[in-house]
Amino acid sequence: MNNVRYSLITAWAVIILVISTGCTPKQTSYLQSLVDEMRRECPVPNEVADGVVVTNISHDDNNLLMELTITDKVTKELFRNGDYFRLNSRYTLGESRFAHIKEAMKTNGFGIKCVAKDESGKTINEVTIAPSDLDKEEAIGVVVRATAMAENAACPLDYGNGSVLERAEALGDSTIVYYIEGGEAFANTDFAAVEDMMKRQMINSISDSESNKQVRHDVGISYKYVYKYGDKVCHTLTITPDDWLRY
């Protein structure tokens, strides 16, 4: 499974406009200092996931500005979805290494603006989050449905290893289900024997830090993978929120 899909959830959308009269010179200077701190923590360019590169961190009026280049087809669909994009933007700034920067932004009335572009520099989507909304949490059902809808838009998706993601769908308010067709290879695979290894590899390829795993745990979304051979279900694997802290 392409790890960018969860970078999820880790996680980075309906645009929130910040009405501003602009920064004073003193505020601009302080906002620039926060930008400098952010760039030290996240030097640019920085590939934060497959096909997602942070290309610039600066400021725009009274907002910290983060610009991304998206090259992965599926991820472009995800970032076109406003709810998904906003969630990931908020949780990215919520990482422990950025906590002091976020608190300073809230105290001084700075928001964050994120702009996603494709390879040609064309804007895919942009979101602006007001200071008062930096800690706001999306309803989990909204996030689940937005993610499933965006990913399903890119299906069927050939993984290039003989398997195809047929579709993604929301199950209730907290689970995203992926239906993967693998032909005879799946029928001949002892999934039960390798399930623990699969979970460990998937989780650690998606999240390379403990703080990121904690974020994914706190979001509370489960991911269910249904491995199929035609109409036959060969195996079902579920990554629960607790699994992010278990592996």
Side-chain angles (χ1 to χ4, degrees):
M1 182 63 61
N2 190 323
N3 67 8
V4 75
R5 193 166 295 127
Y6 316 102
S7 128
L8 295 132
I9 291 256
T10 51
W12 292 50
V14 195
I15 299 175
I16 302 176
L17 296 176
V18 179
I19 301 175
S20 171
T21 57
C23 290
T24 65
K26 183 176 181 180
Q27 287 175 311
T28 299
S29 177
Y30 185 61
L31 180 54
Q32 181 60 51
S33 73
L34 295 180
V35 168
D36 293 340
E37 281 193 65
M38 192 81 170
R39 290 176 71 98
R40 283 193 291 270
E41 290 290 346
C42 182
V44 294
N46 192 322
E47 186 172 18
V48 293
D50 290 347
V52 180
V53 178
V54 178
T55 52
N56 187 39
I57 300 175
S58 58
H59 63 83
D60 176 15
D61 199 4
N62 67 339
N63 297 311
L64 186 149
L65 174 64
M66 183 172 290
E67 297 175 86
L68 317 168
T69 295
I70 314 294
T71 58
D72 180 78
K73 176 183 176 183
V74 175
T75 309
K76 287 177 184 176
E77 294 301 323
L78 290 172
F79 277 74
R80 284 191 179 99
N81 186 290
D83 292 323
Y84 181 92
F85 193 2
R86 186 172 60 248
L87 173 82
N88 279 272
S89 299
R90 185 176 288 117
Y91 271 100
T92 296
L93 193 59
E95 288 188 34
S96 58
R97 58 180 172 153
F98 301 137
H100 64 293
I101 298 176
K102 185 176 79 169
E103 288 304 313
M105 289 171 63
K106 288 162 52 182
T107 299
N108 291 275
F110 301 138
I112 182 170
K113 180 178 180 180
C114 296
V115 181
K117 301 179 180 181
D118 64 16
E119 305 93 322
S120 69
K122 181 179 179 182
T123 297
I124 297 170
N125 200 357
E126 68 176 55
V127 296
T128 306
I129 302 175
S132 59
D133 289 331
L134 289 175
D135 286 329
K136 181 180 177 181
E137 295 185 4
E138 304 296 326
I140 189 171
V142 171
V143 177
V144 166
R145 287 186 287 276
T147 304
M149 183 185 304
E151 293 188 324
N152 200 51
C155 293
L157 182 65
D158 189 347
Y159 285 153
N161 60 357
S163 61
V164 175
L165 176 62
E166 293 184 329
R167 69 185 190 278
E169 62 184 36
L171 178 64
D173 284 337
S174 61
T175 302
I176 303 172
V177 185
Y178 301 95
Y179 294 90
I180 306 168
E181 169 61 46
E184 289 189 27
F186 280 0
N188 296 325
T189 298
D190 185 356
F191 283 98
V194 297
E195 178 173 304
D196 189 74
M197 180 185 69
M198 288 173 65
K199 277 191 178 184
R200 185 176 300 278
Q201 289 180 342
M202 291 169 73
I203 287 172
N204 285 288
S205 67
I206 294 165
S207 297
D208 59 359
S209 70
E210 293 306 312
S211 62
N212 189 276
K213 289 181 178 180
Q214 184 67 55
V215 167
R216 296 177 188 280
H217 168 272
D218 294 346
V219 170
I221 296 176
S222 293
Y223 301 91
K224 182 178 180 180
Y225 304 94
V226 180
Y227 299 95
K228 301 167 57 263
Y229 175 26
D231 293 332
K232 178 184 178 182
V233 174
C234 302
H235 190 71
T236 299
L237 181 152
T238 302
I239 294 179
T240 69
D242 287 342
D243 284 334
W244 293 104
L245 303 183
R246 186 174 294 129
Y247 291 92

